[in-house]
Structure formats: C-alpha cells, structure tokens
Amino acid sequence: MTSYTTGIWAEFVACMYLRLHGFRILRRRYVTGRYTGRAEIDIIARRGNLLIFVEVKRRHDVITGLDAVTAAQSVRLRRAAETYIAREQWRGDARFDIIVVAPHKISWIRGAI
C-alpha cells in the first residue's frame, strides 16, 4: 500500500475506534480555505457536549506517532479548529487528541495538542 492509502486506512480504523467509544463522526478530512496556512483536521467527532479534533498517525510505535506532530502543525490545527468552532457556533467543550494506529495497537492520547 502507498502512504496515502495507509493513511486513509488508519483514519478509517480511528473512526471505528471512536464510534466504539460513543462518538459520532461529524467530519473527516476537514480543510479550511486553501492557501491560508491552515491545516487539514483528520477527524472531528462529538459525544454529548464534547467536540474532539483528532490527528491520526500511522506509525510503528506511539513515540514516533507523537513526534510526527510538529509545533508548526499544532498551530495550523488550532487555527483550523477555531475556524470550525466559529462557523458551527459551538458552545461546548473542545479538545485535541492524537490517535496512533500501530500494527497491533491503537493508542488514543487525549488532550495531546
């Protein structure tokens, strides 16, 4: 598989994992305006009054998955999330999570960014 198809597969696995934990997937691969320096948010999900923005990484272990989210990427993800919150007029809680899909394990790091 190419890195693109591996990434799509990892996002699918992460969506199923979140659904098993009671989340409803609102958006996948959400991108705010092109050429604005904003980022793509892999998954936006909701459970009750909690909205989560999820970055999905497909790596061989959790540490390399966490290291793959750079400071610059974190800033772009926050800007994209702020845009989404403003557009949807969300008034509840929100947080950033990372899901690392490894060969035999899924790690969900809550409040990672």
Side-chain angles (χ1 to χ4, degrees):
M1 289 198 303
T2 66
S3 61
Y4 176 77
T5 56
T6 302
I8 297 297
W9 175 82
E11 286 179 19
F12 173 78
V13 169
C15 282
M16 293 300 108
Y17 190 76
L18 290 170
R19 284 184 180 137
L20 288 172
H21 285 85
F23 281 88
R24 184 169 57 103
I25 306 303
L26 301 177
R27 299 287 299 264
R28 287 184 66 185
R29 307 179 81 205
Y30 174 76
V31 180
T32 57
R34 301 266 186 220
Y35 312 112
T36 61
R38 303 213 180 216
E40 174 186 303
I41 299 173
D42 294 330
I43 301 170
I44 301 173
R46 178 182 178 184
R47 181 175 67 193
N49 197 34
L50 175 63
L51 187 68
I52 61 172
F53 300 94
V54 182
E55 178 67 17
V56 179
K57 294 294 181 185
R58 168 67 174 97
R59 297 292 190 273
H60 291 288
D61 59 63
V62 176
I63 300 303
T64 56
L66 292 175
D67 289 343
V69 181
T70 65
Q73 184 180 14
S74 297
V75 169
R76 287 193 312 270
L77 287 169
R78 284 188 183 275
R79 287 183 188 153
E82 289 168 358
T83 301
Y84 181 85
I85 288 170
R87 284 183 184 164
E88 298 297 320
Q89 299 178 353
W90 177 254
R91 300 287 180 229
D93 297 327
R95 74 171 187 228
F96 291 90
D97 297 349
I98 297 175
I99 294 180
V100 180
V101 179
H104 301 288
K105 184 177 182 180
I106 298 172
S107 297
W108 182 8
I109 299 88
R110 294 164 180 88
I113 298 177

